[in-house]
Amino acid sequence: MKIIETNTPEETYALGRKLGEQAKPGQVYTLIGDLGVGKTVFTQGVANGLLIEEPVNSPTFTIVQVYEEGRMPFYHFDVYRIGDIEEMEEIGYEDYFYGQGLTMIEWADLIPELLPEKYWEIKIEKDLEKGFDYRRITINVFS
Ligand code: ADP
Ligand code: MG
């Protein structure tokens, strides 16, 4: 387990970029944290680390957004609005999770039964006692 503390969005973005630079094909990152905590900021850093230039936002109307232009495919899931697991089956999530790109799953705690055996969990939390822009980012590697 590793804990990183950030005090600006730029620092969170830079951490994401570092993980994007290190990512290997087939890896899965999950992203846990409340609304407004910085999941999208972090994800944009990851995309930058993969050398993706098109803008990356939360996939609001689709569960998964695919970016093909970077160092490897980037499969960006946001499962916040998912109704049930069948929706994931319909998308064919396994082709992504077990594919040759980097998979990033926001709100992955909503689909625990679908997560692969190996993945990195990135949890972002606020602590208002430490300031409005403070974030504690905990990385757990499950393998
Ligand atoms: P989420 O995707 O988790 O809902 P966003 O990434 O869209 O959250 O928004 C996070 C907001 O918090 C942004 O407005 C960002 O500028 C702000 N922010 C302030 N401090 C930080 C920090 N240390 N890390 C990330 N975002 C921060
Ligand atoms: Mg978001």
Side-chain angles (χ1 to χ4, degrees), residues 6-9 12 34-41 58 106 132-135:
T6 71
N7 288 288
T8 63
T12 298
D34 294 337
L35 276 175
V37 85
K39 296 184 298 299
T40 296
V41 169
S58 283
E106 296 195 39
F132 191 65
D133 290 348
Y134 170 89
R135 302 291 189 270

Side-chain angles (χ1 to χ4, degrees), residues 17-32:
R17 182 171 55 211
K18 201 172 110 191
L19 292 193
E21 285 167 352
Q22 291 173 359
K24 296 188 182 68
Q27 236 180 325
V28 174
Y29 292 163
T30 67
L31 201 42
I32 316 285

Side-chain angles (χ1 to χ4, degrees), residues 18-129:
K18 201 172 110 191
L19 292 193
E21 285 167 352
Q22 291 173 359
K24 296 188 182 68
Q27 236 180 325
V28 174
Y29 292 163
T30 67
L31 201 42
I32 316 285
D34 294 337
L35 276 175
V37 85
K39 296 184 298 299
T40 296
V41 169
F42 180 87
T43 301
Q44 288 167 341
V46 169
N48 185 265
L50 291 173
L51 306 178
I52 292 166
E53 283 175 5
E54 71 181 283
V56 172
N57 290 301
S58 283
T60 312
F61 301 108
T62 51
I63 291 170
V64 62
Q65 190 82 47
V66 178
Y67 302 88
E68 298 274 8
E69 63 166 298
R71 200 159 62 71
M72 68 183 82
F74 182 44
Y75 309 129
H76 181 200
F77 284 78
D78 185 333
V79 299
Y80 183 65
R81 283 176 195 80
I82 198 170
D84 56 53
I85 296 301
E86 266 178 43
E87 282 181 51
M88 291 293 284
E89 310 272 4
E90 280 162 23
I91 298 170
Y93 74 95
E94 286 172 305
D95 293 343
Y96 301 107
F97 287 17
Y98 301 96
Q100 286 304 304
L102 173 64
T103 296
M104 170 88 118
I105 314 162
E106 296 195 39
W107 296 96
D109 40 337
L110 297 178
I111 54 158
E113 57 272 75
L114 299 188
L115 297 182
E117 211 172 303
K118 297 183 183 182
Y119 64 95
W120 289 28
E121 180 192 88
I122 295 129
K123 191 169 70 186
I124 311 180
E125 296 165 297
K126 291 187 184 181
D127 182 347
L128 290 177
E129 285 181 11

